[in-house]
Amino acid sequence: MPTIPSPADSARHAVGCIQPVLLRGRVDHIDGATGELLHRYTTVHEPGGVLPVACKTRRASRCPPCAEVYSADTYQLIRAGLTGGKGIPDIVATHPCVFTTLTAPSFGPVHLCREKDGRLLRCRPRRRAQTCPHGRRMSCPDRHARDDTRLGEPLCPDCYDYTGSVLFNACAPELWRRFTITLRRTLARRAGMTNKALAAQLRVSYAKVAEYQRRGVVHFHAIIRLDGPAGPTTAPPAWATVDFLTAAIAQAANAVQLQTPAAAGLPARTLTWGSEHDARPITTAGELTDTRVAAYVAKYATKAAECTGTLDRRITPADQLAELPVREHVRRLIAACLRLGNLPGLEDLRLAAWAHMLGFRGHFSTKSRRYSTTFIALRAERAQHQRETATMDSLWPTPDDDTTLVFAHWRFAGRGHTPTTPSSEASARPGIPSPGPTEGDQP
Ligand SMILES: [Zn+2]
Ligand SMILES: [Zn+2]
Ligand SMILES: [Zn+2]
């Protein structure tokens, strides 16, 4: 029985991956009618006896090549929801659709990069600035460029509300969930309908992405679209305009709130969105185009908290807080997570486990069911393409008909590169340590 060179030649794209998953096993093609073994692929003949498969992480800090693929898929997925394509009808482009940003409230003044007409403005010029109880003036006359290391640093770290900041991060996903519910109810009320009557005419679809601000708090960018009752294939009623949607978003964002759990020495707090939320229509031409929005979301989809200068891994009991290679502001945020994580009453927020994420434990990008196509569909399309290419190269046999049965037996054999993996990365960087679990990721 000849060995087919590589079934998972479709897995050859793991070549670019810097932390591939190593699999050991085989794939058998069996004739369903006769039971004859048509082809067998086994990893025995692969270098090191294992098959490297791409890690498929979305995080650029962990594997840039795989994050690139994820980013490209995100772009396709977001764009299809705006203009159609990938199985989404083109008519979706005519549906009311806005790009909205929901920010966190202030937890104390921080250094800011402020620009107007391409010119840098002063950070916080205050002629009669107050002095805080720690003797620090609450003003800053400097002009901070975008790469200034002071951006996001509090004017007074001792006044800054670190507790509020990490509680907000921990509760932000729930605040978003309540926002989506409130938005549907607000739309119904503004239309003079019951929620049920609205749902029979209108469906709200969205895709959102979380972004860490320099001050270490998350905010959300979201595409929100109105469809007819069956999703993108059906038109919403004529009265459901962009203005109607924009007004409802503002009302819902102002109305939504949640109470944090009370803990010993820490009374419950009411969390809301910051006052600076906006919603702008997405158009095919002009400032906020579909391609721009899709590129923007795709960019943030591959980033996480590390952009604020925190750690890209969980914090363990062995870590000395004072020795972590992080900014002082981030160290205080992590300290707040560890401190609050121990308080009875706050267990559900799991702040200690998510201290490296500054309290946020949600998904970085989420979408409603009918927003667009799915990552699974996009990956299947790519895999199909790779199979077809491989078939042409006669590397991967085409099952003649659907009576061919395919049995795969795979076992996890480790992570990283085998010394002989055909990758320049591998030869240049042998023994790359395997990273921790990719928590917070979603497919
Ligand atoms: Zn990878
Ligand atoms: Zn400043
Ligand atoms: Zn102070």
Side-chain angles (χ1 to χ4, degrees), residues 132-134 136 156 158-159:
C132 83
H134 311 96
R136 295 184 177 103
C156 177
D158 297 316
C159 285

Side-chain angles (χ1 to χ4, degrees), residues 154-173:
L155 267 59
C156 177
D158 297 316
C159 285
Y160 196 78
D161 180 11
Y162 285 95
T163 298
S165 178
V166 300
L167 284 177
F168 181 87
N169 279 353
C171 297

Side-chain angles (χ1 to χ4, degrees), residues 310-311 313-319 321 324 334 338 352-353 355-356:
T310 181
L311 291 187
R313 60 164 177 85
R314 287 204 177 197
I315 289 163
T316 69
D319 285 311
L321 189 58
L324 294 177
I334 291 173
L338 297 177
H356 64 302

Side-chain angles (χ1 to χ4, degrees), residues 31-356:
D31 187 319
T34 65
E36 184 195 352
L37 180 60
L38 300 173
H39 293 283
R40 166 169 288 178
Y41 162 79
T42 152
T43 54
V44 166
H45 304 288
E46 295 290 342
V50 290
L51 179 74
V53 176
C55 73
K56 297 197 182 91
T57 182
R58 64 168 191 85
R59 298 178 65 161
S61 57
R62 292 187 177 161
C63 182
C66 287
E68 190 81 15
V69 174
Y70 185 90
S71 177
D73 281 357
T74 303
Y75 179 87
Q76 298 284 356
L77 189 152
I78 294 297
R79 185 126 193 278
L82 297 173
T83 62
K86 304 281 170 197
I88 305 296
D90 297 350
I91 190 175
V92 79
T94 63
H95 296 185
C97 189
V98 302
F99 190 57
T100 187
T101 299
L102 295 173
T103 60
S106 172
F107 300 105
V110 297
H111 293 283
L112 296 170
C113 169
R114 298 200 304 130
E115 288 173 311
K116 195 179 180 190
D117 305 327
R119 277 179 38 245
L120 283 178
L121 302 181
R122 291 180 189 280
C123 172
R124 289 178 177 273
R126 303 276 189 280
R127 205 167 294 137
R128 279 195 290 274
Q130 303 207 332
T131 303
C132 83
H134 311 96
R136 295 184 177 103
R137 264 173 70 81
M138 290 294 111
S139 91
C140 172
D142 298 347
R143 297 171 205 270
H144 302 297
R146 280 167 184 268
D147 58 351
D148 193 318
T149 52
R150 280 181 297 167
L151 288 183
E153 294 287 315
L155 267 59
C156 177
D158 297 316
C159 285
Y160 196 78
D161 180 11
Y162 285 95
T163 298
S165 178
V166 300
L167 284 177
F168 181 87
N169 279 353
C171 297
E174 173 61 15
L175 203 58
W176 168 265
R177 195 184 69 84
R178 292 189 186 192
F179 166 75
T180 59
I181 295 167
T182 307
L183 177 61
R184 288 186 181 98
R185 290 182 184 157
T186 307
L187 287 165
R189 213 168 309 126
R190 292 179 86 94
M193 293 181 181
T194 62
N195 298 336
K196 203 175 162 192
L198 183 92
Q201 295 195 29
L202 192 87
R203 177 184 276 268
V204 182
S205 285
Y206 67 82
K208 85 163 200 308
V209 66
E211 181 200 354
Y212 273 85
Q213 296 181 297
R214 280 287 296 176
R215 60 182 168 134
V217 72
V218 285
H219 66 192
F220 292 132
H221 301 290
I223 294 160
I224 304 179
R225 191 185 67 213
L226 297 182
D227 295 329
T233 51
T234 49
W239 49 261
T241 61
V242 165
D243 289 344
F244 179 76
L245 173 60
T246 307
I249 288 171
Q251 190 181 338
N254 283 326
V256 70
Q257 53 172 246
L258 73 80
Q259 292 276 111
T260 63
L266 187 73
R269 292 182 176 210
T270 303
L271 295 180
T272 63
W273 299 110
S275 52
E276 286 177 40
H277 42 75
D278 72 340
R280 290 181 292 157
I282 301 168
T283 49
T284 48
E287 205 188 316
L288 203 61
T289 60
D290 48 273
T291 44
R292 235 182 167 166
V293 168
Y296 195 69
V297 172
K299 184 177 110 187
Y300 283 111
T302 64
K303 292 184 176 173
E306 69 276 4
C307 303
T308 65
T310 181
L311 291 187
D312 194 17
R313 60 164 177 85
R314 287 204 177 197
I315 289 163
T316 69
D319 285 311
Q320 295 295 323
L321 189 58
E323 283 160 23
L324 294 177
V326 296
R327 290 157 57 200
E328 198 48 42
H329 178 57
V330 168
R331 197 182 318 279
R332 288 198 185 220
L333 287 165
I334 291 173
C337 288
L338 297 177
R339 178 167 45 81
L340 297 176
N342 281 329
L343 288 186
L346 296 184
E347 297 92 341
D348 289 351
L349 301 181
R350 304 186 59 223
L351 281 161
W354 295 90
H356 64 302

